[in-house]
Amino acid sequence: MLEVEKRVLLTNSNLFQATILDLATLNYKTKRFTMVNVSHSNFQPDPNRLIDLKVRTTGDTGTIVTKYGNWHSDASRQEYEIKFKTLDLGNLLNTLKLLGYKYYVSTYITRTLYTYNDFRLTFDQYHSMEATIFEIELNVENKDEVVEAEHRIDSFLLEHSLKPLNSKETIELISRMNSIPECQVNFDTLDVDHWLNTHHEFVWCQK
């Protein structure tokens, strides 16, 4: 499966979300905790990295997500997901640590998902930096469908006077997120199980 998506940093999320309510169907609203793996202990994003590894939890269930493609310039990327129980998160993180995945940036969001035709429309409210990111997504089966999917997404954004983040803006935004000290997790120096105990409310989305 290929995921075709574009993101917009919203300046007036309430107004636009009200517009979406008239068009789309509310699918769900939930809290989500995410740990995004980064390559280096300075936590800055690597513009050349092609493997995107994330560990997410929503209450008692979790997902490990792997994407392949350029995270800031490619509109479409390969995506694979594996479900797990949040109770197993410690074993998962310790396994990833042994494999060399030691540095993460954690985020805590309120995610609202709408569906409109075959579009997935999400509003992610980031609590660490008081920002809301709108994402529009289409899933396609093969590369021949990517151009048409991009065209449909661009048409939707243009219709609603939204400008997607370009490569430079995406790198700058992620750099800002990754620079927040309380979001940085270094398992080179931290014990996984102790860290999970001290972040229990976030990991289990009870905050």
Side-chain angles (χ1 to χ4, degrees):
M1 181 186 71
L2 288 169
E3 180 184 74
V4 185
E5 63 185 11
K6 294 196 176 182
R7 297 180 182 88
V8 178
L9 181 62
L10 295 177
T11 54
N12 193 335
S13 60
N14 292 332
L15 179 62
F16 178 57
Q17 196 162 349
T19 302
I20 291 299
L21 281 171
D22 293 332
L23 298 174
T25 301
L26 175 63
N27 204 320
Y28 64 76
K29 183 174 183 177
T30 189
K31 299 284 183 67
R32 174 186 281 184
F33 179 75
T34 302
M35 301 180 70
V36 183
N37 178 252
V38 292
S39 301
H40 307 292
S41 58
N42 65 3
F43 298 99
Q44 287 308 296
D46 180 356
N48 299 313
R49 186 175 181 178
L50 296 179
I51 298 292
D52 190 3
L53 176 68
K54 299 179 181 179
V55 178
R56 298 171 175 161
T57 59
T58 303
D60 59 0
T61 60
T63 309
I64 182 167
V65 183
T66 307
K67 298 184 182 182
Y68 181 80
N70 192 291
W71 57 272
H72 60 88
S73 63
D74 287 348
S76 66
R77 294 189 288 172
Q78 299 176 47
E79 179 177 355
Y80 305 97
E81 297 185 354
I82 299 173
K83 302 292 184 181
F84 64 91
K85 295 180 180 179
T86 303
L87 282 171
D88 295 324
L89 181 57
N91 288 329
L92 173 60
L93 291 174
N94 275 309
T95 299
L96 291 172
K97 178 179 177 179
L98 290 175
L99 294 172
Y101 299 97
K102 302 177 181 179
Y103 313 119
Y104 297 86
V105 173
S106 62
T107 62
Y108 192 59
I109 66 170
T110 298
R111 165 165 284 205
T112 308
L113 171 67
Y114 298 88
T115 52
Y116 173 63
N117 296 330
D118 51 347
F119 289 122
R120 285 169 51 91
L121 310 174
T122 59
F123 293 81
D124 288 341
Q125 179 187 355
Y126 285 77
H127 298 276
S128 59
M129 59 182 298
E130 297 184 355
T132 299
I133 296 176
F134 170 70
E135 181 178 288
I136 179 169
E137 174 189 321
L138 284 169
N139 292 328
V140 298
E141 294 298 326
N142 56 70
K143 291 182 179 180
D144 295 335
E145 301 174 273
V146 169
V147 173
E148 175 61 24
E150 282 193 69
H151 176 71
R152 291 182 57 203
I153 288 173
D154 288 339
S155 296
F156 180 94
L157 294 175
L158 183 63
E159 179 182 352
H160 294 281
S161 302
L162 297 173
K163 179 180 175 293
L165 291 166
N166 60 33
S167 175
K168 181 175 180 292
E169 291 166 336
T170 301
I171 293 173
E172 290 174 349
L173 177 64
I174 299 302
S175 294
R176 281 172 52 205
M177 289 183 178
N178 291 15
S179 297
I180 301 171
E182 55 265 34
C183 296
Q184 299 170 351
V185 184
N186 182 349
F187 287 134
D188 234 354
T189 58
L190 294 171
D191 176 78
V192 169
D193 296 318
H194 177 73
W195 184 87
L196 286 175
N197 286 334
T198 58
H199 291 77
H200 181 275
E201 287 186 324
F202 292 102
V203 171
W204 289 86
C205 300
Q206 297 169 343
K207 190 74 173 174

